[in-house]
């Protein structure tokens, strides 16, 4: 029977005299994936979010001539297909009976919960980690962070310059976000809301955004990012980002980065009569992806 926990897994637990056990009682990070996505629920196998392309700009109408009419049409469709994630463990009757240390036995269920929690974090951070790869595409058939998002009015970009995080790099990002356009090239009031970094950029990001004056210069000039209130939702650290140099920006775009929970995390246990094995399982079903790519902007760093 695979993965069965028997008396051989922790032989020391069968004998008295062990002073203490270590390796499981570490503190855990607080939940971080909720900073990366807007949360929603779902009761279907998948959800679809469809782009609606609005009207173009008005045209001059000479006297006596007909009005030029615009057409309203559908753009691309982003499909969110749920994936089930599960884990569990099995314990023999003899192991449960002979184990003298509750510290060992009672940690298994919390460990299972920790496994599911970290797995959820890794899946969600993976959307950002893989956001530069053409192997992971959205409804418009390109990567999340791309300079060639196809639109009715031509390609658009949410891929920032490949530069290390700095005051000037974040100012350039703000300019790019403010100049964002809709699919039909209409101006939109897009704003930066939160900055997301790996631990390697945590302190530098705080120095840049929280300094009253310009960071790392001798100039007596204000920190414009702080003065105008960029990133009103703050700086968010994520311990599951793979690239230490990359940094990500979430905006106020609706239906951008989306997380749908189909089945909340559930725990179950059951015993097998024939072999007296006790089984414990954890299961959840969700999907994390993006609909409108304008919801996130990113740089891979230098």
């Amino acid at each position: 029977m695979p993965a069965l926990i028997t008396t051989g897994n922790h032989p020391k637990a069968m004998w008295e005299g062990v002073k203490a056990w270590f390796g499981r009682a570490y503190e855990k990070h607080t939940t971080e994936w909720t900073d990366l996505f807007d949360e929603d629920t779902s009761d279907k196998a998948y959800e679809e979010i469809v782009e609606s392309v609005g009207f173009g700009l008005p045209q001059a109408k000479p006297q006596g001539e007909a009005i030029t009419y615009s057409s309203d049409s559908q753009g691309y469709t982003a499909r969110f297909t749920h994936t089930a994630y599960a884990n569990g463990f099995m314990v023999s009757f003899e192991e449960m009976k002979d184990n003298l240390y509750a510290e060992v036995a009672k940690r298994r269920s919390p460990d299972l919960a920790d496994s599911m929690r970290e797995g959820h974090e890794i899946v969600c951070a993976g959307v950002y980690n893989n956001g530069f790869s053409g192997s992971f595409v959205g409804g418009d058939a390109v990567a999340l962070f791309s300079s060639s998002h196809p639109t009715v009015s031509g390609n658009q970009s949410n891929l920032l310059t490949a530069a290390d995080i700095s005051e000037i790099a974040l100012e350039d990002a703000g300019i790019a976000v403010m100049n964002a356009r809709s699919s039909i090239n209409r101006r939109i009031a897009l704003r930066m809301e939160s900055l997301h970094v790996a631990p390697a950029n945590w302190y530098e990001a705080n120095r840049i955004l929280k300094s009253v004056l310009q960071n790392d210069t001798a100039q007596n000039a204000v920190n414009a990012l702080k003065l105008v209130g960029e990133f009103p939702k703050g700086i968010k650290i994520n311990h599951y980002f793979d690239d230490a140099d990359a940094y990500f920006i979430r905006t106020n775009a609706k239906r951008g980065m989306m997380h749908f929970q189909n089945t909340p995390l559930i725990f179950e246990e059951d015993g097998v009569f024939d072999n007296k094995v006790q089984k414990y399982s954890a299961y959840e079903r969700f999907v994390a992806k993006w609909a409108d790519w304008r919801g996130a902007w990113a740089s891979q760093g230098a």
Side-chain angles (χ1 to χ4, degrees):
M1 184 177 293
L4 177 65
I5 299 172
T6 68
T7 55
N9 285 74
H10 290 90
K12 285 290 185 180
M14 306 301 120
W15 300 89
E16 294 182 355
V18 175
K19 178 69 173 178
W21 302 80
F22 74 93
R24 289 183 170 182
Y26 303 116
E27 292 190 14
K28 305 299 188 295
H29 295 301
T30 57
T31 301
E32 295 177 349
W33 70 261
T34 51
D35 292 326
L36 302 178
F37 296 91
D38 293 328
E39 298 178 66
D40 206 338
T41 58
S42 169
D43 58 2
K44 300 189 286 291
Y46 61 85
E47 299 288 345
E48 289 187 336
I49 297 180
V50 183
E51 180 187 31
S52 179
V53 179
F55 298 129
L57 295 174
Q59 303 297 314
K61 178 193 168 304
Q63 293 185 47
E65 294 192 12
I67 293 173
T68 300
Y69 292 92
S70 296
S71 177
D72 185 18
S73 61
Q74 175 182 305
Y76 68 82
T77 299
R79 175 173 288 195
F80 294 71
T81 303
H82 294 288
T83 300
Y85 299 92
N87 201 356
F89 63 92
M90 301 181 293
V91 186
S92 72
F93 177 81
E94 291 78 10
E95 202 281 341
M96 290 188 292
K97 183 175 184 299
D98 296 343
N99 191 328
L100 301 180
Y101 297 89
E103 179 182 356
V104 175
K106 289 183 177 180
R107 276 301 309 168
R108 288 171 182 153
S109 292
D111 280 352
L112 182 58
D114 288 341
S115 167
M116 297 299 292
R117 178 197 58 78
E118 185 160 352
H120 202 130
E121 293 282 2
I122 291 170
V123 169
C124 290
V127 177
Y128 287 73
N129 291 330
N130 296 317
F132 304 98
S133 171
S135 299
F136 299 87
V137 300
D140 60 358
V142 298
L144 170 56
F145 306 115
S146 172
S147 60
S148 56
H149 286 288
T151 72
V152 174
S153 57
N155 287 347
Q156 296 188 31
S157 175
N158 66 340
L159 181 63
L160 302 172
T161 302
D164 285 339
I165 192 169
S166 66
E167 185 178 9
I168 188 64
L170 293 179
E171 287 180 359
D172 287 344
I175 294 169
V177 169
M178 286 189 286
N179 283 328
R181 300 294 183 101
S182 71
S183 183
I184 54 173
N185 208 34
R186 296 272 297 276
R187 291 170 176 81
I188 55 178
L190 204 64
R191 301 183 303 275
M192 300 190 295
E193 289 202 331
S194 55
L195 175 64
H196 302 259
V197 298
N201 272 332
W202 174 245
Y203 298 110
E204 185 64 17
N206 276 274
R207 273 191 291 268
I208 293 168
L209 293 180
K210 296 181 180 180
S211 298
V212 176
L213 300 180
Q214 281 191 315
N215 177 250
D216 287 339
T217 74
Q219 300 179 44
N220 187 24
V222 298
N223 180 344
L225 292 167
K226 179 179 176 65
L227 181 67
V228 303
E230 293 288 17
F231 304 110
K233 293 187 177 180
I235 309 166
K236 311 293 184 179
I237 191 171
N238 193 289
H239 295 85
Y240 304 93
F241 287 158
D242 289 340
D243 188 344
D245 292 334
Y247 49 96
F248 307 90
I249 295 168
R250 288 196 64 192
T251 73
N252 62 323
K254 306 300 182 185
R255 298 297 179 181
M257 307 304 296
M258 298 296 302
H259 176 285
F260 289 97
Q261 189 85 35
N262 176 276
T263 305
L265 183 60
I266 55 175
F267 294 94
E268 296 178 303
E269 63 176 284
D270 194 15
V272 180
F273 177 80
D274 287 344
N275 56 18
K276 296 192 178 302
V277 168
Q278 194 73 15
K279 294 182 176 181
Y280 303 83
S281 70
Y283 174 98
E284 67 175 335
R285 193 172 178 221
F286 67 90
V287 58
K289 204 175 177 183
W290 68 96
D292 187 351
W293 51 265
R294 297 169 186 83
W297 298 60
S299 170
Q300 288 183 284

